[in-house]
Amino acid sequence: AVVSTQSTGNTVPPKAPQQLSIVVQSSSSVKVTCYEPTDSKSALVTRYKIQWSTCPSLLSSVRTEIVSAGHHMTYLISGLNKGTPYYFSVQAGNVRGFGA
């Protein structure tokens, strides 16, 4: 049998997203925006993992959303409690997983 493989550029997870911003939209929501890594050696980005929590280490009470996107991602997080500090993490990903 002959097996053909085609390189998709997804051999490793991508590097960290660039130009990350988190902007308050209202007393209970923020808008998260970022761009794919600009390093030419970074793998193709097909999705982003956004995590947020009231715990600084993001080890408890964590909410997670996976957003399909490529070059640019914008996501609105709503339902936050006014006056409560939140901590955020965004990772770029592809079929090989999520990067740093």
Side-chain angles (χ1 to χ4, degrees), residues 8-72:
T8 62
N10 290 337
T11 57
V12 296
K15 294 183 178 181
Q18 301 294 304
Q19 300 178 24
L20 174 63
S21 72
I22 300 171
V23 179
V24 174
Q25 298 294 292
S26 73
S27 63
S28 63
S29 66
V30 297
K31 180 172 70 172
V32 179
T33 302
C34 69
Y35 291 85
E36 69 183 341
T38 55
D39 183 339
S40 62
K41 294 181 181 176
S42 184
L44 177 70
V45 175
T46 58
R47 58 194 174 158
Y48 294 87
K49 177 167 49 172
I50 306 166
Q51 294 183 299
W52 64 98
S53 175
T54 55
C55 175
S57 64
L58 294 172
L59 293 177
S60 65
S61 303
V62 178
R63 296 279 317 268
T64 300
E65 288 292 332
I66 306 297
V67 179
S68 294
H71 173 70
H72 174 256

